[in-house]
Amino acid sequence: MKIGILIDELISGGFQKVALMEAKYLKKLGHDVSLVILHKIKIEGYIDLIKNNNINVIYISDRLPCYLKINFRFPFFAFFSFMHIFYPFFIYKYIRKNEFDIFITHGTYTAFSSIRIKKKIKIPYICFVHDPITYIINQKYKDKFLGNFSKLLTPIAKKLDKMIIKNATSVFAFPDMIDEMKKTYPDYPHYYEIFNGCESIDQDDVEYGKRNYCISVTKWDQGKNFELLIEIWKKLSNRIPLKVVGSFSPVKLEKDYRRKIKENSLSEYIEIIGKVSETELINYYKNAKFLIHPCREAFGMTILEASANGCPAIFTRNSGVARLYPKFIKTKLPNENDLMEYINIINYFIKVPEQEYRVLVNDYYKTAKENSWENHCKKINTLIQRL
């Protein structure tokens, strides 16, 4: 089957990596797979993954005349851009005849283009909903400027979520997000639970003699709660060095974070690394004492990735990925935004005896090992075969 895995832009982010892994493993299952990107940007992520896995990439924007390539990000939104509402008017004209049998669409706003393609040239889509729009408005922006307009924006978001869902052949999502969507569209019959996967290192390569630092890894945007890390490190009595890894969107956010670190006299303890290659990221995972994630995530793929490389993680117990971990790990996790609970578990990780730490690392690793990209894609493949 000719599968197009559709994303909006190739930035270093969660669902972009999911799309790449699906392209890699669905290809291994015998499908003709292309990563289809709506809009090409100057600095892209995961180029090494694409080259190393020989993934075919199609940029729809390369097929457009210059006057249709215009794009800009809407003020106060982390990712919502002009192309998300502009491209659906004409994007279907630039999909070639018999080029695809089906799309797997990642990114909530990307689905607007999928809807139009389906209606105009009859190519169905499976929608992987990582974050419904309603969830984005009420969770990611609740403490930001847009949170002041949630009463106005939420009804609009619900209508858009319903439109995305009802036009999809099937909807994949994490269990918590399916619960969210059922509040808006309870009668839709084709919800399917799925979890992201990971690629685990060999057990023999797991490091137990860690270096004295921890890491925080994500695609840093307005909703990632960096301010909580500042507050934690201000109050920690034993300030283990923290390395902040990942790209920033918008780019100026990195400058803002550096300023906050300096203003709070934490430059000696918090270091911003920024964007790194996959090889570098794995080395950080392998050598860090633990990963700390400061916000709730619909899933939380970096948490699973860290575990897969022998790095235990501190994350909120209401993140979607928490469902995969055994109860004795979940009971140690902090509640969302609970400063003292974060501090207590950090102190536990710093002071835990060596043998107990080894057991902890192995328990995290075991959870990751059971959730591979291969199994993730086999589930998708089973659904595709039924269509």
Side-chain angles (χ1 to χ4, degrees):
M1 184 173 283
K2 291 177 285 188
I3 302 172
I5 300 183
L6 187 66
I7 62 174
D8 50 5
E9 294 176 329
L10 189 57
I11 60 177
S12 295
F15 74 75
Q16 290 83 1
K17 191 166 187 179
V18 177
L20 279 166
M21 291 297 103
E22 288 177 355
K24 174 180 177 178
Y25 283 93
L26 286 171
K27 182 180 176 182
K28 287 184 176 183
L29 292 172
H31 295 286
D32 180 1
V33 186
S34 296
L35 180 67
V36 183
I37 303 169
L38 291 179
H39 182 254
K40 194 176 201 175
I41 57 176
K42 288 182 180 179
I43 302 174
E44 295 186 313
Y46 304 122
I47 298 301
D48 49 347
L49 274 178
I50 290 172
K51 289 180 179 178
N52 293 341
N53 294 289
N54 196 27
I55 294 170
N56 185 46
V57 178
I58 297 170
Y59 293 96
I60 298 298
S61 58
D62 284 351
R63 301 176 179 180
L64 303 180
C66 290
Y67 62 88
L68 291 180
K69 295 182 181 182
I70 185 171
N71 187 44
F72 55 86
R73 194 148 291 163
F74 290 119
F76 309 114
F77 286 90
F79 300 106
F80 189 35
S81 303
F82 180 67
M83 68 163 171
H84 292 122
I85 58 173
F86 182 49
Y87 276 26
F89 286 104
F90 54 80
I91 201 73
Y92 63 91
K93 297 178 182 178
Y94 298 92
I95 305 295
R96 293 166 185 162
K97 188 177 181 181
N98 300 322
E99 193 169 17
F100 303 105
D101 297 315
I102 194 167
F103 282 107
I104 299 174
T105 300
H106 291 270
T108 309
Y109 308 130
T110 312
F112 300 149
S113 290
S114 297
I115 293 169
R116 191 71 166 170
I117 290 167
K118 178 189 175 184
K119 288 185 175 181
K120 286 293 185 178
I121 55 176
K122 310 303 180 187
I123 301 175
Y125 70 96
I126 296 169
C127 196
F128 195 143
V129 180
H130 299 262
D131 315 269
I133 300 174
T134 310
Y135 175 86
I136 294 171
I137 295 296
N138 292 304
Q139 180 67 29
K140 298 294 185 181
Y141 295 122
K142 64 181 179 181
D143 298 322
K144 309 299 179 183
F145 176 77
L146 288 175
N148 298 318
F149 303 94
S150 60
K151 289 184 179 180
L152 172 66
L153 294 174
T154 298
I156 299 171
K158 285 182 177 180
K159 288 181 180 180
L160 293 174
D161 281 335
K162 188 172 182 177
M163 181 176 70
I164 291 167
I165 294 164
K166 76 175 185 178
N167 282 285
T169 299
S170 301
V171 170
F172 279 133
F174 317 126
D176 290 353
M177 293 302 102
I178 289 178
D179 292 342
E180 289 287 330
M181 287 184 283
K182 283 183 175 179
K183 295 175 186 176
T184 301
Y185 201 180
D187 297 329
Y188 181 74
H190 301 300
Y191 292 113
Y192 294 91
E193 290 187 2
I194 198 166
F195 291 99
N196 290 335
C198 59
E199 293 182 314
S200 299
I201 60 174
D202 291 337
Q203 177 81 58
D204 292 343
D205 293 330
V206 173
E207 298 280 352
Y208 298 100
K210 303 288 190 176
R211 298 179 187 175
N212 186 40
Y213 68 81
C214 63
I215 54 173
S216 191
V217 180
T218 190
K219 176 182 65 180
W220 294 98
D221 60 53
Q222 297 172 24
K224 295 299 184 178
N225 207 14
F226 182 79
E227 293 76 13
L228 180 63
L229 294 177
I230 295 288
E231 291 305 311
I232 291 170
W233 256 256
K234 281 167 61 177
K235 289 186 166 28
L236 272 177
S237 55
N238 189 350
R239 290 177 176 168
I240 183 171
L242 169 66
K243 297 181 185 295
V244 178
V245 179
S247 60
F248 294 84
S249 183
V251 175
K252 73 178 185 69
L253 209 58
E254 180 178 352
K255 187 176 180 179
D256 293 341
Y257 287 0
R258 290 185 185 276
R259 176 179 52 79
K260 289 177 182 178
I261 291 168
K262 188 174 181 180
E263 286 175 350
N264 287 280
S265 303
L266 293 171
S267 300
E268 184 181 348
Y269 304 102
I270 302 178
E271 177 186 6
I272 291 183
I273 304 296
K275 181 181 175 182
V276 297
S277 69
E278 283 299 299
T279 301
E280 290 170 321
L281 179 58
I282 289 171
N283 284 332
Y284 278 117
Y285 284 144
K286 288 173 70 174
N287 290 295
K289 183 82 171 177
F290 58 87
L291 176 139
I292 179 168
H293 199 73
C295 67
R296 178 193 179 190
E297 293 285 5
F299 184 70
M301 192 167 66
T302 55
I303 294 156
L304 197 62
E305 283 186 343
S307 303
N309 289 281
C311 179
I314 299 169
F315 56 99
T316 67
R317 64 179 63 184
N318 62 346
S319 289
V321 72
R323 287 182 179 237
L324 300 179
Y325 288 86
K327 185 176 180 181
F328 68 87
I329 287 179
K330 283 189 280 193
T331 55
K332 288 185 172 71
L333 298 176
N335 285 301
E336 186 177 2
N337 289 321
D338 193 312
L339 182 64
M340 289 313 301
E341 287 189 5
Y342 265 99
I343 289 172
N344 288 338
I345 190 171
I346 289 170
N347 286 331
Y348 164 75
F349 270 100
I350 291 172
K351 298 174 182 177
V352 64
E354 182 180 345
Q355 192 56 41
E356 187 177 341
Y357 180 75
R358 289 178 69 93
V359 173
L360 198 62
V361 168
N362 289 337
D363 288 332
Y364 273 87
Y365 176 83
K366 182 181 177 183
T367 297
K369 190 75 173 175
E370 292 168 351
N371 291 276
S372 67
W373 284 120
E374 185 176 9
N375 290 337
H376 172 98
C377 287
K378 281 179 179 178
K379 186 167 186 176
I380 295 174
N381 187 54
T382 299
L383 174 62
I384 288 174
Q385 299 304 327
R386 293 185 198 150
L387 298 177

